[in-house]
Amino acid sequence: MSLFGTTSGFGTSGTSMFGSATTDNHNPMKDIEVTSSPDDSIGCLSFSPPTLPGNFLIAGSWANDVRCWEVQDSGQTIPKAQQMHTGPVLDVCWSDDGSKVFTASCDKTAKMWDLSSNQAIQIAQFWDTRSSNPMMVLQLPERCYCADVIYPMAVVATAERGLIVYQLENQPSEFRRIESPLKHQHRCVAIFKDKQNKPTGFALGSIEGRVAIHYINPPNPAKDNFTFKCHRSNGTNTSAPQDIYAVNGIAFHPVHGTLATVGSDGRFSFWDKDARTKLKTSEQLDQPISACCFNHNGNIFAYASSYDWSKGHEFYNPQKKNYIFLRNAAEELKPRNKK
Amino acid sequence: MGRKKKKQLKPWCWYCNRDFDDEKILIQHQKAKHFKCHICHKKLYTGPGLAIHCMQVHKETIDAVPNAIPGRTDIELEIYGMEGIPEKDMDERRRLLEQKTQESQKKKQQDDSDEYDDDDSAASTSFQPQPVQPQQGYIPPMAQPGLPPVPGAPGMPPGIPPLMPGVPPLMPGMPPVMPGMPPGLHHQRKYTQSFCGENIMMPMGGMMPPGPGIPPLMPGMPPGMPPPVPRPGIPPMTQAQAVSAPGILNRPPAPTATVPAPQPPVTKPLFPSAGQAQAAVQGPVGTDFKPLNSTPATTTEPPKPTFPAYTQSTASTTSTTNSTAAKPAASITSKPATLTTTSATSKLIHPDEDISLEERRAQLPKYQRNLPRPGQAPIGNPPVGPIGGQYGGHHQGMPGYLPGAMPPYGQGPPMVPPYQGGPPRPPMGMRPPVMSQGGRY
């Protein structure tokens, strides 16, 4: 766990430059910068599972590539491999044994990337399901905006504020359709587990700077489920209207059960959902934070700083560098002691 | 009797002349409508209070009370609920009320109940433009024979089904005519009285109580009407009556809180083919019922649920199906629903359309350049073997699709040129989620 003790010197092994920044706010938290970051916005991040020794980070970007780094305990990041799609990569995830990475892209394909052979096979295709022989096809009522899986539960959030929970045992089937606890477009979802390490609920983020914590079978739904506001500029009541930013990603700490949210406002926050308190909010980065992820033991928190299109096309600056930052997450995400 | 109550029996708002059941409600109304700061929406207690607030907090002067009728906009008058109302205005109000009660008493002798007055007058104004002409032409013949109106009256209701077509066009006309009600009030009543007398009132009186029961009633009325309907004399009259009768018949329901709701659906079963038009009409009518029911503020609630409950099951499904049907068919340029961004105090940092940021971004030509073009390899694409190396560049059998293939509605399939012979396309939304494939266990 000796990583990132001092963040000052690290991260510069690559091409990243911290030095010149006086007013530059691209890394106000002084976190470790991943080397050779993608050239376009990073849409998704995923750390390798515990079955793989070490920490490997996968990132998919709008530059159509999927990159893999090895993250060493010292904080050094070594680019390992890269795969390409023909369209922006929207999501990535690891197989349980850590040997394969699944990637899904706007080019309407999903691929399985075998890391050992460094080959990627197309395993799914958008509109012609016959050709890829899926084991099962589940129809969704609307476009899927985000999803998460922790066996045996899967949650899918769709457009028009749709929310469906699936149970994956035996034959995966729809478990329940839930009335959305949020009033705005769903943006991200993450499942959390209970003390027995079983998935028991999920956190759902919307574009309206709000996260809903929802339990699947709570003893007292009215009390147990709640929402909280986040990623808003503190508009002092009358002077300026409050800016409300989208929650771009939610990730749960695998050990502590606390969660992190990242938003379009360029901040990340850590929360304790059981104590219902905020643990920390970061300084504001100059770009939105588009994705986040914890590594398998919760020591590393990775977040990507790149434009998420929240202000439309006009604010897109292709020249702006996209970063992935790594932060020591062991201490800051410890839960607050509930009185 | 003891000292006469100064307040008047019902509290009323000096600024806008509205009646309220309770002084508490009146005060709430004043705070929300007249004493609310237009800048920060803070509710004050009095007019001068509002003025001071605006000056101190926003450095803005305010010279008139918001939403007040002309003549009652004085911001310096300290009025709170019923307190502070100048004596002369109180007297004026009392006089007005007396006038109204006098009129209603007169009416009462002819009518069964007070409720109909407003309805009738209101309705009569609204339908006045239309019924006027036929009525005028109609009355002379009616005036001569004293009898025909009598048997004619019961005959009129049965004439209603054919009269129905008149209703939808009339209905949208109602709201604009409504404001004309007060001035026209007096006039209309007399007119209708002379024309219809009790005959019309009676059947209506019979109808009113059921209220929401009217929809089933009305279509069933022709058979249900006890009077046998001396048909012979009627047909020529039905034409002229046609326009007026439903006008009159429907007038009372129209402004009444409970009835308007069922009204639109009444016509619906009779003209299922006009269902489309109904749906369109109900929109404005439904929302316009709000101002119609403005006086009894609380009664807007009951009609609201009945209205959606009854009509939306049919009408709005058509409208929703229309909209959802429109969505996939729409091209990229048509806008999806826009977000409701809260205005005064907060602002969503998000593009207006209610599509995901990724959808929006993917529309850019920049991100579609690399997508395979339609002309590429034919479908039948087996799960290709190791595509080779780092760059799974040429995806054989990648389904070709137009550059616009990632439309906001995700309706890739319809956009794909059908050269593929139309393989079964999964509905939109199934972006190949990594999870559902390949067993991630």
Side-chain angles (χ1 to χ4, degrees):
Chain A
M1 199 180 105
S2 61
L3 41 80
F4 315 149
T6 54
T7 57
S8 50
F10 296 114
T12 53
S13 54
T15 52
S16 53
M17 269 303 118
F18 290 117
S20 56
T22 39
T23 51
D24 172 28
N25 227 6
H26 78 277
N27 187 13
M29 303 303 288
K30 306 277 186 289
D31 288 324
I32 298 185
E33 189 183 312
V34 167
T35 62
S36 305
S37 50
D39 300 320
D40 205 344
S41 300
I42 293 130
C44 44
L45 290 173
S46 186
F47 267 105
S48 53
T51 43
L52 211 58
N55 289 299
F56 292 84
L57 175 65
I58 294 279
S61 82
W62 281 74
N64 306 354
D65 61 5
V66 186
R67 297 189 182 193
C68 177
W69 296 261
E70 180 183 350
V71 179
Q72 295 178 330
D73 281 354
S74 58
Q76 224 179 352
T77 53
I78 307 166
K80 282 293 201 198
Q82 174 174 310
Q83 276 287 329
M84 297 296 288
H85 268 269
T86 49
V89 179
L90 293 181
D91 209 351
V92 292
C93 91
W94 288 81
S95 64
D96 278 350
D97 61 0
S99 64
K100 307 193 183 19
V101 172
F102 296 90
T103 59
S105 154
C106 288
D107 61 10
K108 308 200 180 185
T109 66
K111 296 210 219 166
M112 181 174 78
W113 178 12
D114 185 338
L115 293 165
S116 41
S117 64
N118 204 13
Q119 306 246 327
I121 313 174
Q122 182 176 310
I123 52 166
Q125 204 168 290
F126 174 49
W127 56 268
D128 190 356
T129 52
R130 288 181 305 184
S131 65
S132 48
N133 304 323
M135 68 165 265
M136 163 160 245
V137 177
L138 295 162
Q139 304 293 27
L140 292 177
E142 251 284 0
R143 299 153 276 166
C144 169
Y145 277 167
C146 51
D148 193 16
V149 177
I150 294 188
Y151 187 81
M153 177 164 119
V155 177
V156 174
T158 70
E160 305 298 325
R161 299 170 48 232
L163 195 52
I164 312 169
V165 179
Y166 296 88
Q167 67 83 23
L168 305 170
E169 284 181 89
N170 306 318
Q171 193 74 333
S173 61
E174 196 176 298
F175 174 70
R176 192 188 295 168
R177 293 213 174 175
I178 301 181
E179 172 94 25
S180 172
L182 298 174
K183 297 275 178 296
H184 284 75
Q185 185 191 118
H186 297 160
R187 181 124 182 89
C188 51
V189 70
I191 297 177
F192 57 81
K193 301 184 280 196
D194 58 12
K195 300 278 190 297
Q196 289 77 37
N197 236 20
K198 294 236 165 48
T200 182
F202 57 88
L204 177 69
S206 77
I207 57 169
E208 186 239 358
R210 198 182 289 266
V211 171
I213 300 289
H214 193 95
Y215 290 82
I216 299 296
N217 283 319
N220 190 347
K223 274 182 52 181
D224 295 334
N225 298 335
F226 66 97
T227 71
F228 61 90
K229 295 195 272 203
C230 50
H231 300 293
R232 296 167 177 223
S233 69
N234 28 342
T236 50
N237 29 17
T238 47
S239 59
Q242 190 184 50
D243 290 330
I244 301 182
Y245 294 87
V247 182
N248 283 331
I250 305 178
F252 277 90
H253 193 278
V255 173
H256 297 310
T258 48
L259 70 146
T261 62
V262 293
S264 283
D265 56 349
R267 295 182 197 263
F268 61 81
S269 294
F270 301 144
W271 313 81
D272 181 343
K273 71 176 194 325
D274 301 311
R276 301 203 184 181
T277 62
K278 180 178 350 190
L279 300 171
K280 180 188 181 75
T281 296
S282 74
E283 298 298 317
Q284 187 170 23
L285 275 68
D286 56 359
Q287 287 188 99
I289 304 183
S290 50
C292 67
C293 173
F294 283 102
N295 77 327
H296 65 88
N297 59 13
N299 291 340
I300 314 177
F301 174 62
Y303 58 99
S305 162
S306 41
Y307 187 50
D308 59 358
W309 229 249
S310 50
K311 292 189 180 163
H313 168 78
E314 302 75 32
F315 283 79
Y316 177 49
N317 181 359
Q319 310 303 325
K320 238 170 159 16
K321 208 163 173 281
N322 299 280
Y323 300 95
I324 302 176
F325 294 114
L326 305 175
R327 187 178 181 81
N328 187 339
E331 291 303 315
E332 284 171 335
L333 277 114
K334 283 212 172 125
R336 264 316 124 72
N337 293 333
K338 265 210 301 201
K339 296 291 171 260
Chain B
M1 213 168 168
R3 180 172 74 86
K4 189 163 154 191
K5 277 191 98 154
K6 279 198 122 186
K7 270 206 237 190
Q8 233 80 56
L9 289 165
K10 272 191 145 334
W12 56 283
C13 177
W14 179 83
Y15 293 101
C16 60
N17 265 344
R18 271 170 55 172
D19 258 328
F20 297 88
D21 295 324
D22 204 47
E23 182 155 14
K24 231 173 3 135
I25 303 178
L26 163 66
I27 291 175
Q28 280 175 11
H29 152 83
Q30 287 178 339
K31 283 181 73 171
K33 281 277 175 337
H34 305 301
F35 304 148
K36 187 151 104 157
C37 172
H38 67 288
I39 304 172
C40 67
H41 299 294
K42 183 174 164 71
K43 295 197 201 136
L44 284 309
Y45 287 91
T46 65
L50 172 65
I52 293 170
H53 161 85
C54 280
M55 176 55 73
Q56 289 181 341
V57 178
H58 308 299
K59 314 279 186 283
E60 258 211 27
T61 47
I62 188 165
D63 53 2
V65 173
N67 298 312
I69 60 176
R72 297 278 177 93
T73 61
D74 189 357
I75 193 122
E76 314 229 328
L77 260 188
E78 177 126 359
I79 292 184
Y80 181 71
M82 292 292 289
E83 296 170 28
I85 298 183
E87 189 60 38
K88 61 174 176 62
D89 289 323
M90 284 293 263
D91 292 336
E92 202 182 294
R93 176 78 177 181
R94 247 176 265 136
R95 254 179 282 127
L96 204 66
L97 279 181
E98 279 173 23
Q99 265 181 9
K100 272 202 226 158
T101 45
Q102 274 172 15
E103 284 171 11
S104 58
Q105 273 171 13
K106 263 207 303 191
K107 214 35 178 106
K108 258 192 167 198
Q109 287 151 15
Q110 327 254 343
D111 302 346
D112 282 340
S113 131
D114 266 348
E115 303 166 35
Y116 298 165
D117 289 348
D118 288 344
D119 311 336
D120 200 49
S121 48
S124 54
T125 41
S126 55
F127 291 95
Q128 211 49 43
Q130 311 244 358
V132 164
Q133 294 93 6
Q135 281 178 1
Q136 286 175 348
Y138 180 62
I139 288 183
M142 246 201 25
Q144 284 144 24
L147 283 182
V150 180
M156 276 171 38
I160 285 176
L163 309 179
M164 282 317 183
V167 179
L170 288 176
M171 277 174 22
M174 268 169 31
V177 187
M178 282 304 293
M181 187 184 35
L185 199 91
H186 213 64
H187 179 69
Q188 310 311 338
R189 203 172 287 125
K190 282 193 176 164
Y191 194 64
T192 44
Q193 284 178 2
S194 63
F195 170 52
C196 307
E198 326 151 27
N199 302 320
I200 302 304
M201 301 313 164
M202 300 268 270
M204 290 193 301
M207 269 170 41
M208 290 308 291
I214 287 187
L217 249 190
M218 295 202 19
M221 247 187 353
M225 278 317 266
V229 183
R231 278 284 177 190
I234 306 299
M237 300 204 314
T238 39
Q239 287 311 314
Q241 289 169 313
V243 192
S244 53
I248 295 178
L249 224 40
N250 292 331
R251 263 184 253 149
T256 308
T258 50
V259 186
Q263 210 184 6
V266 170
T267 58
K268 211 180 187 327
L270 294 170
F271 293 92
S273 59
Q276 193 83 35
Q278 273 311 88
V281 166
Q282 275 148 9
V285 170
T287 52
D288 280 335
F289 276 130
K290 262 202 140 198
L292 282 183
N293 296 325
S294 63
T295 17
T298 49
T299 55
T300 45
E301 297 324 299
K304 260 189 138 185
T306 55
F307 180 59
Y310 192 102
T311 57
Q312 274 185 9
S313 56
T314 44
S316 70
T317 44
T318 48
S319 52
T320 46
T321 45
N322 284 343
S323 59
T324 47
K327 268 168 116 185
S331 65
I332 301 178
T333 50
S334 77
K335 293 213 158 199
T338 54
L339 299 175
T340 49
T341 48
T342 46
S343 51
T345 49
S346 53
K347 182 169 62 108
L348 276 184
I349 307 292
H350 193 275
D352 274 339
E353 294 117 21
D354 194 10
I355 56 176
S356 74
L357 297 177
E358 288 75 22
E359 278 176 304
R360 197 149 202 262
R361 186 173 188 169
Q363 291 167 27
L364 279 201
K366 169 178 170 167
Y367 294 110
Q368 293 173 359
R369 247 183 287 130
N370 296 331
L371 299 180
R373 294 279 173 263
Q376 268 197 347
I379 345 164
N381 93 79
V384 185
I387 295 203
Q390 310 262 5
Y391 306 92
H394 57 105
H395 298 264
Q396 293 196 353
M398 264 299 276
Y401 39 73
L402 300 171
M406 209 61 168
Y409 310 111
Q411 200 63 334
M415 308 273 279
V416 179
Y419 75 100
Q420 314 238 354
R425 291 159 188 181
M428 54 187 187
M430 260 312 230
R431 87 170 180 197
V434 182
M435 286 166 264
S436 75
Q437 301 284 355
R440 175 170 159 15
Y441 308 118

